[in-house]
CSV table of all heavy atoms in Angstrom, one decimal:
chain,number,residue,atom,x,y,z
A,1,MET,N,0.8,-1.2,0.0
A,1,MET,CA,0.0,0.0,0.0
A,1,MET,C,0.9,1.2,0.0
A,1,MET,O,1.8,1.3,0.8
A,1,MET,CB,-0.9,0.0,1.2
A,1,MET,CG,-1.8,1.2,1.4
A,1,MET,SD,-2.9,1.0,2.8
A,1,MET,CE,-4.1,0.1,2.1
A,2,LYS,N,0.6,2.2,-0.8
A,2,LYS,CA,1.4,3.4,-0.9
A,2,LYS,C,0.9,4.4,0.2
A,2,LYS,O,-0.3,4.4,0.5
A,2,LYS,CB,1.3,4.1,-2.3
A,2,LYS,CG,2.0,3.2,-3.3
A,2,LYS,CD,1.9,4.0,-4.6
A,2,LYS,CE,2.7,3.1,-5.7
A,2,LYS,NZ,2.7,3.8,-7.0
A,3,PRO,N,1.9,5.1,0.8
A,3,PRO,CA,1.5,6.1,1.8
A,3,PRO,C,0.5,7.2,1.2
A,3,PRO,O,0.6,7.5,0.1
A,3,PRO,CB,2.8,6.8,2.2
A,3,PRO,CG,3.8,5.8,1.8
A,3,PRO,CD,3.3,5.1,0.6
A,4,HIS,N,-0.4,7.6,2.1
A,4,HIS,CA,-1.4,8.6,1.7
A,4,HIS,C,-0.8,10.0,1.9
A,4,HIS,O,-1.3,11.0,1.4
A,4,HIS,CB,-2.7,8.5,2.4
A,4,HIS,CG,-3.4,7.2,2.1
A,4,HIS,ND1,-4.1,7.0,0.9
A,4,HIS,CD2,-3.5,6.0,2.7
A,4,HIS,CE1,-4.6,5.8,0.8
A,4,HIS,NE2,-4.2,5.2,1.9
A,5,SER,N,0.2,10.2,2.8
A,5,SER,CA,0.7,11.5,3.2
A,5,SER,C,2.1,11.2,3.7
A,5,SER,O,2.6,10.1,3.9
A,5,SER,CB,-0.1,12.2,4.2
A,5,SER,OG,0.0,11.5,5.5
A,6,ALA,N,2.8,12.3,4.0
A,6,ALA,CA,4.2,12.2,4.6
A,6,ALA,C,4.2,11.6,5.9
A,6,ALA,O,5.2,11.0,6.4
A,6,ALA,CB,4.8,13.6,4.6
A,7,GLN,N,3.1,11.7,6.7
A,7,GLN,CA,3.0,11.1,8.0
A,7,GLN,C,2.6,9.6,8.0
A,7,GLN,O,2.6,8.9,9.0
A,7,GLN,CB,2.0,11.8,8.9
A,7,GLN,CG,2.4,13.2,9.2
A,7,GLN,CD,2.1,14.2,8.1
A,7,GLN,OE1,1.2,14.1,7.3
A,7,GLN,NE2,3.0,15.2,8.0
A,8,ASP,N,2.2,9.1,6.8
A,8,ASP,CA,1.8,7.7,6.6
A,8,ASP,C,2.9,6.8,6.2
A,8,ASP,O,3.6,7.1,5.2
A,8,ASP,CB,0.7,7.7,5.6
A,8,ASP,CG,0.1,6.3,5.3
A,8,ASP,OD1,0.4,5.4,6.0
A,8,ASP,OD2,-0.8,6.2,4.4
A,9,SER,N,3.2,5.7,6.9
A,9,SER,CA,4.2,4.8,6.6
A,9,SER,C,3.8,3.9,5.4
A,9,SER,O,4.7,3.3,4.7
A,9,SER,CB,4.6,3.9,7.8
A,9,SER,OG,3.5,3.0,8.0
A,10,GLY,N,2.5,3.8,5.1
A,10,GLY,CA,2.1,2.9,4.1
A,10,GLY,C,1.8,1.5,4.5
A,10,GLY,O,1.2,0.7,3.8
A,11,TRP,N,2.2,1.2,5.8
A,11,TRP,CA,1.9,-0.1,6.3
A,11,TRP,C,0.5,-0.3,6.7
A,11,TRP,O,-0.1,0.6,7.3
A,11,TRP,CB,2.8,-0.4,7.5
A,11,TRP,CG,4.2,-0.8,7.1
A,11,TRP,CD1,5.3,0.0,6.9
A,11,TRP,CD2,4.7,-2.1,6.7
A,11,TRP,NE1,6.4,-0.6,6.5
A,11,TRP,CE2,6.0,-2.0,6.3
A,11,TRP,CE3,4.0,-3.3,6.5
A,11,TRP,CZ2,6.8,-3.0,5.9
A,11,TRP,CZ3,4.8,-4.4,6.1
A,11,TRP,CH2,6.2,-4.2,5.8
A,12,ALA,N,-0.1,-1.5,6.5
A,12,ALA,CA,-1.4,-1.8,7.0
A,12,ALA,C,-1.3,-3.2,7.5
A,12,ALA,O,-0.8,-4.1,6.9
A,12,ALA,CB,-2.4,-1.7,5.8
A,13,PHE,N,-1.9,-3.5,8.7
A,13,PHE,CA,-1.9,-4.8,9.3
A,13,PHE,C,-3.3,-5.3,9.5
A,13,PHE,O,-4.2,-4.5,9.9
A,13,PHE,CB,-1.2,-4.7,10.7
A,13,PHE,CG,0.2,-4.2,10.6
A,13,PHE,CD1,0.6,-2.9,10.6
A,13,PHE,CD2,1.3,-5.2,10.4
A,13,PHE,CE1,1.9,-2.5,10.5
A,13,PHE,CE2,2.6,-4.8,10.3
A,13,PHE,CZ,2.9,-3.4,10.4
A,14,SER,N,-3.5,-6.6,9.2
A,14,SER,CA,-4.8,-7.2,9.4
A,14,SER,C,-4.6,-8.6,9.8
A,14,SER,O,-3.5,-9.2,9.8
A,14,SER,CB,-5.6,-7.1,8.2
A,14,SER,OG,-5.1,-7.9,7.2
A,15,SER,N,-5.7,-9.3,10.2
A,15,SER,CA,-5.6,-10.7,10.6
A,15,SER,C,-5.6,-11.6,9.4
A,15,SER,O,-5.2,-12.7,9.5
A,15,SER,CB,-6.7,-11.1,11.5
A,15,SER,OG,-7.9,-11.1,10.8
A,16,GLY,N,-6.0,-11.1,8.3
A,16,GLY,CA,-6.1,-11.9,7.1
A,16,GLY,C,-7.4,-12.5,6.8
A,16,GLY,O,-7.6,-13.2,5.8
A,17,VAL,N,-8.4,-12.4,7.7
A,17,VAL,CA,-9.7,-13.0,7.5
A,17,VAL,C,-10.8,-12.0,7.2
A,17,VAL,O,-11.9,-12.3,7.0
A,17,VAL,CB,-10.1,-13.9,8.7
A,17,VAL,CG1,-9.1,-15.0,8.9
A,17,VAL,CG2,-10.2,-13.1,10.0
A,18,GLU,N,-10.4,-10.7,7.2
A,18,GLU,CA,-11.4,-9.6,7.0
A,18,GLU,C,-11.8,-9.6,5.5
A,18,GLU,O,-11.0,-9.8,4.6
A,18,GLU,CB,-10.8,-8.2,7.3
A,18,GLU,CG,-10.3,-8.1,8.7
A,18,GLU,CD,-8.9,-8.6,9.0
A,18,GLU,OE1,-8.3,-9.3,8.1
A,18,GLU,OE2,-8.4,-8.3,10.1
A,19,ASP,N,-13.1,-9.5,5.3
A,19,ASP,CA,-13.6,-9.4,3.9
A,19,ASP,C,-13.6,-7.9,3.5
A,19,ASP,O,-13.3,-7.0,4.3
A,19,ASP,CB,-14.9,-10.0,3.7
A,19,ASP,CG,-16.1,-9.4,4.5
A,19,ASP,OD1,-15.9,-8.2,5.0
A,19,ASP,OD2,-17.1,-10.1,4.7
A,20,GLU,N,-13.8,-7.7,2.2
A,20,GLU,CA,-13.8,-6.3,1.7
A,20,GLU,C,-14.8,-5.4,2.3
A,20,GLU,O,-14.5,-4.2,2.6
A,20,GLU,CB,-14.0,-6.4,0.1
A,20,GLU,CG,-13.7,-5.1,-0.5
A,20,GLU,CD,-13.8,-5.2,-2.0
A,20,GLU,OE1,-13.6,-6.3,-2.6
A,20,GLU,OE2,-14.0,-4.1,-2.7
A,21,ALA,N,-16.0,-5.9,2.6
A,21,ALA,CA,-17.0,-5.1,3.3
A,21,ALA,C,-16.5,-4.6,4.6
A,21,ALA,O,-16.7,-3.5,5.0
A,21,ALA,CB,-18.3,-5.8,3.4
A,22,TYR,N,-15.9,-5.5,5.4
A,22,TYR,CA,-15.4,-5.1,6.7
A,22,TYR,C,-14.3,-4.1,6.6
A,22,TYR,O,-14.3,-3.1,7.3
A,22,TYR,CB,-14.8,-6.4,7.4
A,22,TYR,CG,-14.3,-6.1,8.8
A,22,TYR,CD1,-15.1,-6.2,9.9
A,22,TYR,CD2,-13.0,-5.7,9.0
A,22,TYR,CE1,-14.6,-5.9,11.2
A,22,TYR,CE2,-12.5,-5.5,10.2
A,22,TYR,CZ,-13.3,-5.6,11.3
A,22,TYR,OH,-12.8,-5.3,12.6
A,23,MET,N,-13.4,-4.2,5.6
A,23,MET,CA,-12.3,-3.3,5.5
A,23,MET,C,-12.8,-2.0,4.9
A,23,MET,O,-12.1,-0.9,5.1
A,23,MET,CB,-11.2,-3.9,4.5
A,23,MET,CG,-10.5,-5.1,5.1
A,23,MET,SD,-9.7,-4.8,6.7
A,23,MET,CE,-8.3,-3.8,6.2
A,24,ASP,N,-13.9,-2.0,4.2
A,24,ASP,CA,-14.4,-0.7,3.6
A,24,ASP,C,-15.1,0.1,4.7
A,24,ASP,O,-15.4,1.3,4.5
A,24,ASP,CB,-15.4,-1.0,2.5
A,24,ASP,CG,-14.7,-1.4,1.2
A,24,ASP,OD1,-13.5,-1.2,1.1
A,24,ASP,OD2,-15.4,-2.0,0.3
A,25,GLU,N,-15.4,-0.5,5.9
A,25,GLU,CA,-16.1,0.3,6.9
A,25,GLU,C,-15.1,0.9,7.8
A,25,GLU,O,-14.3,0.3,8.6
A,25,GLU,CB,-16.9,-0.7,7.8
A,25,GLU,CG,-17.7,-0.1,8.9
A,25,GLU,CD,-18.6,1.0,8.5
A,25,GLU,OE1,-19.4,0.9,7.6
A,25,GLU,OE2,-18.5,2.1,9.2
A,26,ALA,N,-15.0,2.3,7.7
A,26,ALA,CA,-14.0,3.1,8.4
A,26,ALA,C,-14.0,2.8,9.9
A,26,ALA,O,-13.0,2.9,10.6
A,26,ALA,CB,-14.1,4.5,8.1
A,27,SER,N,-15.2,2.6,10.5
A,27,SER,CA,-15.2,2.4,12.0
A,27,SER,C,-14.6,1.1,12.4
A,27,SER,O,-14.3,0.9,13.6
A,27,SER,CB,-16.7,2.4,12.4
A,27,SER,OG,-17.4,1.3,11.9
A,28,ASN,N,-14.2,0.2,11.5
A,28,ASN,CA,-13.5,-1.0,11.8
A,28,ASN,C,-12.0,-0.8,11.8
A,28,ASN,O,-11.3,-1.8,12.2
A,28,ASN,CB,-13.9,-2.1,10.8
A,28,ASN,CG,-15.3,-2.6,11.0
A,28,ASN,OD1,-15.9,-2.6,12.1
A,28,ASN,ND2,-15.9,-3.0,9.9
A,29,LEU,N,-11.5,0.3,11.4
A,29,LEU,CA,-10.1,0.6,11.3
A,29,LEU,C,-9.6,1.6,12.3
A,29,LEU,O,-10.4,2.4,12.8
A,29,LEU,CB,-9.8,1.1,9.9
A,29,LEU,CG,-10.4,0.3,8.7
A,29,LEU,CD1,-10.1,1.0,7.4
A,29,LEU,CD2,-9.8,-1.1,8.7
A,30,VAL,N,-8.4,1.5,12.7
A,30,VAL,CA,-7.8,2.4,13.6
A,30,VAL,C,-6.4,2.7,13.2
A,30,VAL,O,-5.7,1.9,12.6
A,30,VAL,CB,-7.7,1.8,15.1
A,30,VAL,CG1,-6.9,0.5,15.1
A,30,VAL,CG2,-7.3,2.8,16.1
A,31,VAL,N,-6.0,4.0,13.3
A,31,VAL,CA,-4.7,4.5,12.9
A,31,VAL,C,-3.8,4.4,14.2
A,31,VAL,O,-4.2,4.9,15.2
A,31,VAL,CB,-4.7,5.9,12.4
A,31,VAL,CG1,-3.3,6.4,12.1
A,31,VAL,CG2,-5.6,5.9,11.1
A,32,VAL,N,-2.7,3.7,14.1
A,32,VAL,CA,-1.7,3.6,15.2
A,32,VAL,C,-0.3,3.9,14.7
A,32,VAL,O,0.0,3.6,13.5
A,32,VAL,CB,-1.7,2.1,15.7
A,32,VAL,CG1,-0.7,1.9,16.8
A,32,VAL,CG2,-3.1,1.7,16.1
A,33,SER,N,0.4,4.6,15.5
A,33,SER,CA,1.8,5.0,15.0
A,33,SER,C,2.6,3.7,14.9
A,33,SER,O,2.5,2.8,15.7
A,33,SER,CB,2.4,6.0,16.0
A,33,SER,OG,2.9,5.3,17.2
A,34,LEU,N,3.5,3.7,13.9
A,34,LEU,CA,4.4,2.6,13.7
A,34,LEU,C,5.3,2.4,14.9
A,34,LEU,O,5.6,1.3,15.3
A,34,LEU,CB,5.2,2.8,12.4
A,34,LEU,CG,5.9,1.6,11.8
A,34,LEU,CD1,5.1,0.3,11.7
A,34,LEU,CD2,6.6,1.9,10.5
A,35,ARG,N,5.7,3.5,15.4
A,35,ARG,CA,6.6,3.5,16.6
A,35,ARG,C,5.9,2.7,17.8
A,35,ARG,O,6.5,1.9,18.4
A,35,ARG,CB,6.9,4.9,17.1
A,35,ARG,CG,7.8,4.9,18.3
A,35,ARG,CD,8.3,6.3,18.6
A,35,ARG,NE,9.1,6.7,17.5
A,35,ARG,CZ,9.3,8.0,17.2
A,35,ARG,NH1,8.8,9.0,17.9
A,35,ARG,NH2,10.1,8.3,16.2
A,36,SER,N,4.6,2.9,18.0
A,36,SER,CA,3.9,2.2,19.1
A,36,SER,C,3.8,0.7,18.7
A,36,SER,O,3.9,-0.2,19.6
A,36,SER,CB,2.6,2.8,19.4
A,36,SER,OG,1.7,2.6,18.4
A,37,LEU,N,3.6,0.3,17.5
A,37,LEU,CA,3.6,-1.1,17.1
A,37,LEU,C,4.9,-1.7,17.3
A,37,LEU,O,5.0,-2.9,17.8
A,37,LEU,CB,3.2,-1.2,15.6
A,37,LEU,CG,1.7,-1.0,15.3
A,37,LEU,CD1,1.4,-1.1,13.8
A,37,LEU,CD2,0.8,-2.0,16.1
A,38,LEU,N,6.0,-1.0,16.9
A,38,LEU,CA,7.3,-1.6,17.1
A,38,LEU,C,7.7,-1.8,18.6
A,38,LEU,O,8.3,-2.7,19.0
A,38,LEU,CB,8.4,-0.7,16.5
A,38,LEU,CG,8.5,-0.8,15.0
A,38,LEU,CD1,9.4,0.4,14.4
A,38,LEU,CD2,9.0,-2.1,14.5
A,39,ALA,N,7.1,-0.9,19.5
A,39,ALA,CA,7.3,-1.1,20.9
A,39,ALA,C,6.7,-2.4,21.4
A,39,ALA,O,7.2,-3.0,22.3
A,39,ALA,CB,6.8,0.1,21.6
A,40,ARG,N,5.6,-2.8,20.8
A,40,ARG,CA,4.8,-4.0,21.2
A,40,ARG,C,5.3,-5.2,20.5
A,40,ARG,O,5.1,-6.3,21.0
A,40,ARG,CB,3.3,-3.8,21.0
A,40,ARG,CG,2.8,-2.6,21.7
A,40,ARG,CD,1.3,-2.4,21.4
A,40,ARG,NE,0.6,-2.4,22.6
A,40,ARG,CZ,-0.6,-2.9,22.8
A,40,ARG,NH1,-1.3,-3.4,21.8
A,40,ARG,NH2,-1.2,-2.9,24.0
A,41,CYS,N,5.8,-5.1,19.3
A,41,CYS,CA,6.1,-6.2,18.4
A,41,CYS,C,7.5,-5.9,17.7
A,41,CYS,O,7.5,-5.5,16.6
A,41,CYS,CB,5.0,-6.4,17.4
A,41,CYS,SG,5.2,-7.9,16.4
A,42,LYS,N,8.6,-6.1,18.4
A,42,LYS,CA,9.9,-5.8,17.9
A,42,LYS,C,10.3,-6.5,16.6
A,42,LYS,O,11.1,-6.1,15.8
A,42,LYS,CB,10.9,-6.0,19.0
A,42,LYS,CG,10.7,-5.0,20.2
A,42,LYS,CD,11.9,-5.0,21.1
A,42,LYS,CE,11.7,-4.2,22.3
A,42,LYS,NZ,10.8,-3.1,22.4
A,43,GLU,N,9.7,-7.7,16.5
A,43,GLU,CA,10.0,-8.5,15.3
A,43,GLU,C,9.5,-7.8,14.0
A,43,GLU,O,10.0,-8.2,12.9
A,43,GLU,CB,9.5,-9.9,15.4
A,43,GLU,CG,8.1,-10.1,15.6
A,43,GLU,CD,7.7,-10.1,17.1
A,43,GLU,OE1,8.5,-9.6,18.0
A,43,GLU,OE2,6.6,-10.6,17.4
A,44,LEU,N,8.6,-6.8,14.1
A,44,LEU,CA,8.2,-6.1,12.9
A,44,LEU,C,9.4,-5.4,12.2
A,44,LEU,O,9.4,-5.1,11.0
A,44,LEU,CB,7.1,-5.1,13.2
A,44,LEU,CG,5.7,-5.6,13.5
A,44,LEU,CD1,4.8,-4.5,14.0
A,44,LEU,CD2,5.2,-6.2,12.2
A,45,ASP,N,10.4,-5.0,13.0
A,45,ASP,CA,11.5,-4.2,12.5
A,45,ASP,C,12.2,-5.0,11.3
A,45,ASP,O,12.7,-4.3,10.4
A,45,ASP,CB,12.5,-4.0,13.6
A,45,ASP,CG,13.6,-3.0,13.2
A,45,ASP,OD1,13.3,-1.9,12.7
A,45,ASP,OD2,14.8,-3.3,13.4
A,46,ALA,N,12.2,-6.3,11.3
A,46,ALA,CA,12.9,-7.1,10.3
A,46,ALA,C,12.2,-6.9,8.9
A,46,ALA,O,12.8,-7.2,7.9
A,46,ALA,CB,12.9,-8.5,10.7
A,47,ILE,N,11.0,-6.5,8.9
A,47,ILE,CA,10.3,-6.4,7.6
A,47,ILE,C,10.0,-5.0,7.1
A,47,ILE,O,9.5,-4.8,6.0
A,47,ILE,CB,9.0,-7.2,7.6
A,47,ILE,CG1,8.0,-6.6,8.6
A,47,ILE,CG2,9.2,-8.7,7.9
A,47,ILE,CD1,6.6,-7.2,8.5
A,48,LEU,N,10.4,-4.0,7.8
A,48,LEU,CA,10.1,-2.6,7.5
A,48,LEU,C,10.7,-2.1,6.2
A,48,LEU,O,10.2,-1.2,5.6
A,48,LEU,CB,10.4,-1.7,8.7
A,48,LEU,CG,9.5,-1.9,9.9
A,48,LEU,CD1,9.9,-0.9,11.0
A,48,LEU,CD2,8.1,-1.7,9.5
A,49,ASP,N,11.8,-2.7,5.8
A,49,ASP,CA,12.4,-2.2,4.5
A,49,ASP,C,11.9,-3.0,3.3
A,49,ASP,O,12.4,-2.8,2.2
A,49,ASP,CB,13.9,-2.3,4.6
A,49,ASP,CG,14.5,-1.3,5.6
A,49,ASP,OD1,13.9,-0.2,5.7
A,49,ASP,OD2,15.6,-1.6,6.2
A,50,ALA,N,10.9,-3.8,3.5
A,50,ALA,CA,10.3,-4.5,2.3
A,50,ALA,C,9.7,-3.6,1.4
A,50,ALA,O,9.2,-2.5,1.8
A,50,ALA,CB,9.3,-5.6,2.8
A,51,PRO,N,9.7,-3.9,0.1
A,51,PRO,CA,9.1,-3.0,-0.9
A,51,PRO,C,7.6,-2.9,-0.8
A,51,PRO,O,6.9,-3.8,-0.2
A,51,PRO,CB,9.5,-3.6,-2.3
A,51,PRO,CG,9.9,-5.0,-2.0
A,51,PRO,CD,10.3,-5.0,-0.5
A,52,ALA,N,7.0,-1.8,-1.2
A,52,ALA,CA,5.6,-1.5,-1.2
A,52,ALA,C,4.9,-2.7,-1.9
A,52,ALA,O,5.4,-3.3,-2.9
A,52,ALA,CB,5.2,-0.3,-1.9
A,53,GLY,N,3.8,-3.2,-1.3
A,53,GLY,CA,3.0,-4.3,-1.8
A,53,GLY,C,3.4,-5.6,-1.3
A,53,GLY,O,2.8,-6.6,-1.6
A,54,SER,N,4.5,-5.6,-0.4
A,54,SER,CA,4.9,-6.9,0.2
A,54,SER,C,3.8,-7.4,1.1
A,54,SER,O,3.1,-6.6,1.8
A,54,SER,CB,6.2,-6.7,1.0
A,54,SER,OG,7.2,-6.3,0.2
A,55,VAL,N,3.7,-8.7,1.2
A,55,VAL,CA,2.7,-9.4,2.1
A,55,VAL,C,3.5,-10.4,2.9
A,55,VAL,O,4.2,-11.2,2.4
A,55,VAL,CB,1.6,-10.0,1.3
A,55,VAL,CG1,0.6,-10.8,2.2
A,55,VAL,CG2,0.8,-9.0,0.5
A,56,PHE,N,3.2,-10.4,4.2
A,56,PHE,CA,3.9,-11.3,5.2
A,56,PHE,C,2.8,-11.9,6.0
A,56,PHE,O,1.7,-11.4,6.2
A,56,PHE,CB,4.9,-10.6,6.1
A,56,PHE,CG,6.0,-10.0,5.4
A,56,PHE,CD1,6.0,-8.7,4.8
A,56,PHE,CD2,7.2,-10.7,5.2
A,56,PHE,CE1,7.0,-8.1,4.2
A,56,PHE,CE2,8.3,-10.1,4.6
A,56,PHE,CZ,8.2,-8.9,4.0
A,57,ARG,N,3.1,-13.1,6.6
A,57,ARG,CA,2.3,-13.7,7.6
A,57,ARG,C,3.1,-14.0,8.8
A,57,ARG,O,4.3,-14.3,8.6
A,57,ARG,CB,1.5,-14.9,7.0
A,57,ARG,CG,2.4,-16.1,6.9
A,57,ARG,CD,1.6,-17.4,6.4
A,57,ARG,NE,2.5,-18.5,6.4
A,57,ARG,CZ,3.3,-18.8,5.4
A,57,ARG,NH1,3.3,-18.0,4.3
A,57,ARG,NH2,4.0,-19.9,5.4
A,58,ARG,N,2.5,-14.0,9.9
A,58,ARG,CA,3.2,-14.3,11.2
A,58,ARG,C,3.4,-15.8,11.3
A,58,ARG,O,2.4,-16.5,11.0
A,58,ARG,CB,2.5,-13.7,12.4
A,58,ARG,CG,3.3,-13.9,13.6
A,58,ARG,CD,2.8,-13.0,14.7
A,58,ARG,NE,3.7,-13.1,15.8
A,58,ARG,CZ,4.1,-12.1,16.5
A,58,ARG,NH1,3.5,-10.9,16.3
A,58,ARG,NH2,5.0,-12.2,17.4
A,59,GLU,N,4.6,-16.2,11.6
A,59,GLU,CA,4.8,-17.6,11.8
A,59,GLU,C,5.8,-17.8,12.9
A,59,GLU,O,6.9,-17.3,12.9
A,59,GLU,CB,5.5,-18.2,10.5
A,59,GLU,CG,5.5,-19.7,10.5
A,59,GLU,CD,5.9,-20.2,9.1
A,59,GLU,OE1,5.0,-20.2,8.2
A,59,GLU,OE2,7.0,-20.6,8.9
A,60,GLY,N,5.3,-18.3,14.0
A,60,GLY,CA,6.1,-18.4,15.2
A,60,GLY,C,6.4,-17.1,15.8
A,60,GLY,O,5.4,-16.3,16.0
A,61,GLU,N,7.6,-16.8,16.0
A,61,GLU,CA,8.0,-15.5,16.6
A,61,GLU,C,8.4,-14.4,15.5
A,61,GLU,O,8.9,-13.4,15.9
A,61,GLU,CB,9.2,-15.6,17.6
A,61,GLU,CG,8.8,-16.4,18.8
A,61,GLU,CD,7.7,-15.8,19.6
A,61,GLU,OE1,7.8,-14.6,19.9
A,61,GLU,OE2,6.8,-16.5,20.0
A,62,GLY,N,8.2,-14.7,14.3
A,62,GLY,CA,8.6,-13.8,13.2
A,62,GLY,C,7.6,-13.7,12.1
A,62,GLY,O,6.5,-14.2,12.2
A,63,PHE,N,8.0,-13.2,10.9
A,63,PHE,CA,7.2,-13.0,9.8
A,63,PHE,C,7.9,-13.7,8.6
A,63,PHE,O,9.1,-13.6,8.4
A,63,PHE,CB,6.9,-11.5,9.5
A,63,PHE,CG,6.1,-10.9,10.6
A,63,PHE,CD1,6.7,-10.3,11.7
A,63,PHE,CD2,4.8,-10.9,10.5
A,63,PHE,CE1,6.0,-9.7,12.7
A,63,PHE,CE2,4.0,-10.3,11.5
A,63,PHE,CZ,4.6,-9.7,12.6
A,64,VAL,N,7.1,-14.3,7.7
A,64,VAL,CA,7.6,-14.9,6.5
A,64,VAL,C,6.8,-14.3,5.3
A,64,VAL,O,5.7,-13.9,5.4
A,64,VAL,CB,7.5,-16.4,6.5
A,64,VAL,CG1,8.4,-17.0,7.6
A,64,VAL,CG2,6.1,-16.9,6.7
A,65,PRO,N,7.5,-14.2,4.1
A,65,PRO,CA,6.8,-13.7,3.0
A,65,PRO,C,5.7,-14.6,2.6
A,65,PRO,O,5.8,-15.8,2.7
A,65,PRO,CB,7.9,-13.7,1.9
A,65,PRO,CG,9.2,-13.7,2.6
A,65,PRO,CD,8.9,-14.5,3.9
A,66,GLU,N,4.6,-14.0,2.2
A,66,GLU,CA,3.4,-14.8,1.8
A,66,GLU,C,3.5,-15.1,0.3
A,66,GLU,O,4.0,-14.4,-0.5
A,66,GLU,CB,2.1,-13.9,2.0
A,66,GLU,CG,0.9,-14.7,1.7
A,66,GLU,CD,0.2,-15.2,2.9
A,66,GLU,OE1,0.8,-15.5,3.9
A,66,GLU,OE2,-1.0,-15.3,2.8
């Protein structure tokens, strides 16, 4: 996903089971700073330099390309 503004990292996280209708409903989404996510999930740091459009899934304690 491409960033929408200079403040947007372009990253979007989901469980992977959401359908399009769920994702289209703005009240189902929340904006969280990437810094706060990294504080809670340090293993995200390993994938932050991936190119736009990359897709990963969580496997064990890390992430693998989908």
